[in-house]
Amino acid sequence: MTKSPHRTWLTAAGSALAGVAGLLLPVFGTAGAAQAAESGIHVSDGRVYEADGSEFVMRGVNHAHAWYPGETGAIADIAAKGANTVRVVLSSGDRWTETSASQVSSIIDDCKTNKVICVLEVHDTTGYGEDGAAATLDQAADYWVGVRSALQGQEDYVVVNIGNEPYGNSGYAAWTGATKNAIVKLRNAGIENALMVDAPNWGQDWSNTMRDNAASVFASDPRRNTIFSIHMYGVYDTAAEVQGYLNHFVNNGLPIVVGEFGDNHSDGNPDENAIMATARSLRVGYLGWSWSGNGSGVEYLDMVNGFDAGSLTAWGNRFFNGADGISTTSKRATIFGGGGGGGNEGGGDTGGTAPNGYPYCVNGSASDPDGDGWGWENNRSCVVRGSAADTGSGGGNTGGTAPNGYPYCVNGSASDPDGDGWGWEDNRSCVVRGSAADH
């Protein structure tokens, strides 16, 4: 089912995004054994890595550069708040003033100076098929080919987000073919950066078009280096919807980030707590909308007032300082001297990740006194490398999922003999509903 389309924000120069509600039903298969690119920012087994093999989990902010090119301090201010990524709005010239190759180079230099990864996106495609002013993905691809000189050699620092929300609520069935064609055009032109593709339906994929076709889109990239981006607004107003969508990609070995989200919306109130908690527990990136400059009734999406880094809004304070926010989960990219971003947000685990999604135990079998392959470090389960537990995901728990991403215990407190809220069922940790761990 759907709601009526709705554009979420308008800047002084233009409008964007809308949402509708829908049911999320898992359908597609795994990404298979496709090989990722081995240099620069790249995808492997559904995760994003840096060139040195360190997992990178995006924790960032959207910045509306195309409409506010004079706000040259924004990237530095965002970085100073602890973000490790900035998603920068550019224009292909089809709808707003074109961002030139020299300007793209300047933006990249600004990101590198401030030690944040750049996600660069063309915004002119927003709502194509429903918004008559929107450009096609093919036009966006032509833009990227035209500025490729600014991108080449920057593969360690730059992700190319081909087009923002490239279809509205009309004609979105064409998303799959158009996205594949755009990917191939960029690769044929010699652009080797990691790519990012936004969902249709104003980014929210209520039709599950991206979800159902993600595996084939991923396979269309000769470099197997494409990241999928879902925008979570009114469609994602419950934890179940958030978890269902993100878990589907993770379980199928396909890379996913939340490319935009807010804490409020006129098309429905998104569950930002579930978005941030689930992203943390799944090691999925998120990029909040937006630093500043929203207008036309959605000023509440500003994180700071008037581009003033010292004037956080309620949303900004929640995003940066609240539970699962930037201050506690963002890790600087290792290329800038950071400690790595993946699998380390809920504690100190640095042993890598098992196929079932749990971290490997840093201390090996010493963390596993009963010898079943499951240990306990940094207040969460870990897997002993090479043990019986070091396999794919499993377990038949059907008690639902807690906000922290763990399943609820089917047998309740009977599974929790020490009363700390953490139980054990189906060879994995579970949360006792309503306990101290249920957050």
Side-chain angles (χ1 to χ4, degrees):
M1 62 182 177
T2 67
K3 297 178 184 175
S4 60
H6 171 69
R7 287 149 182 76
T8 58
W9 39 263
L10 292 165
T11 68
S15 67
L17 195 89
V20 283
L23 300 175
L24 302 173
L25 302 174
V27 183
F28 65 71
T30 65
Q35 296 299 309
E38 295 181 353
S39 62
I41 297 171
H42 63 277
V43 171
S44 180
D45 296 327
R47 300 291 179 179
V48 179
Y49 293 89
E50 295 185 69
D52 69 352
S54 298
E55 189 177 346
F56 182 67
V57 179
M58 295 181 190
R59 289 287 180 265
V61 176
N62 284 269
H63 167 50
H65 167 85
W67 308 308
Y68 299 98
E71 297 296 341
T72 55
I75 291 175
D77 288 340
I78 292 168
K81 294 293 185 187
N84 65 20
T85 306
V86 180
R87 181 174 181 257
V88 185
V89 175
L90 309 182
S91 175
S92 59
D94 293 291
R95 196 164 178 181
W96 299 288
T97 301
E98 180 177 346
T99 310
S100 67
S102 62
Q103 289 172 315
V104 172
S105 291
S106 179
I107 291 166
I108 294 171
D109 287 343
D110 199 7
C111 285
K112 291 164 70 173
T113 296
N114 290 286
K115 301 182 178 180
V116 291
I117 296 299
C118 256
V119 175
L120 303 177
E121 60 103 341
V122 161
H123 216 82
D124 306 58
T125 56
T126 305
Y128 178 76
E130 185 174 351
D131 188 331
T136 66
L137 276 172
D138 189 60
Q139 289 172 296
D142 286 340
Y143 167 78
W144 291 118
V145 173
V147 299
R148 63 186 161 185
S149 62
L151 305 173
Q152 291 170 327
Q154 304 299 329
E155 292 82 5
D156 288 338
Y157 307 97
V158 175
V159 175
V160 175
N161 190 172
I162 300 177
N164 184 70
E165 300 175 5
Y167 283 86
N169 296 324
S170 301
Y172 55 81
W175 176 89
T176 303
T179 300
K180 290 178 179 180
N181 291 340
I183 290 170
V184 170
K185 178 173 279 194
L186 268 60
R187 295 306 189 210
N188 286 344
I191 294 173
E192 298 184 352
N193 306 73
L195 303 179
M196 184 178 289
V197 294
D198 283 8
N201 308 130
W202 301 93
Q204 298 200 77
D205 202 28
W206 58 262
S207 65
N208 293 324
T209 300
M210 183 171 82
R211 191 202 66 182
D212 294 352
N213 294 283
S216 67
V217 170
F218 185 83
S220 74
D221 181 356
R223 297 184 63 79
R224 304 300 192 266
N225 201 19
T226 296
I227 303 162
F228 297 92
S229 174
I230 183 69
H231 294 183
M232 289 188 163
Y233 293 101
V235 170
Y236 300 92
D237 55 359
T238 69
E241 289 167 322
V242 172
Q243 294 159 2
Y245 197 89
L246 296 180
N247 270 297
H248 194 80
F249 278 78
V250 171
N251 291 342
N252 284 280
L254 291 162
I256 184 75
V257 301
V258 182
E260 290 184 18
F261 72 104
D263 67 336
N264 191 14
H265 206 274
S266 56
D267 73 347
N269 188 7
D271 190 341
E272 73 280 3
N273 295 326
I275 293 168
M276 296 168 80
T278 305
R280 174 192 53 75
S281 67
L282 295 178
R283 307 194 325 276
V284 164
Y286 66 63
L287 305 168
W289 187 274
S290 72
W291 182 242
S292 197
N294 293 286
S296 299
V298 292
E299 291 83 358
Y300 52 75
L301 289 170
D302 283 359
M303 294 180 178
V304 299
N305 294 300
F307 290 92
D308 180 358
S311 181
L312 284 174
T313 63
W315 166 222
N317 188 57
R318 165 70 188 92
F319 182 82
F320 288 106
N321 302 319
D324 306 306
I326 294 292
S327 65
T328 57
T329 69
S330 178
K331 308 294 184 203
R332 179 179 290 170
T334 59
I335 198 163
F336 299 125
N344 199 26
E345 294 151 341
D349 274 299
T350 56
T353 305
N356 60 11
Y358 283 85
Y360 282 119
C361 301
V362 174
N363 299 316
S365 59
S367 301
D368 175 28
D370 62 358
D372 66 350
W374 289 95
W376 186 262
E377 293 177 350
N378 298 306
N379 294 314
R380 67 174 296 182
S381 294
C382 59
V383 172
V384 177
R385 193 182 297 271
S387 70
D390 190 7
T391 60
S393 60
N397 193 299
T398 56
T401 306
N404 60 15
Y406 284 83
Y408 281 120
C409 301
V410 173
N411 299 315
S413 59
S415 301
D416 175 29
D418 62 0
D420 66 352
W422 290 95
W424 186 260
E425 292 178 350
D426 296 310
N427 291 316
R428 66 177 296 184
S429 294
C430 58
V431 172
V432 177
R433 193 182 297 272
S435 70
D438 190 7
H439 58 76

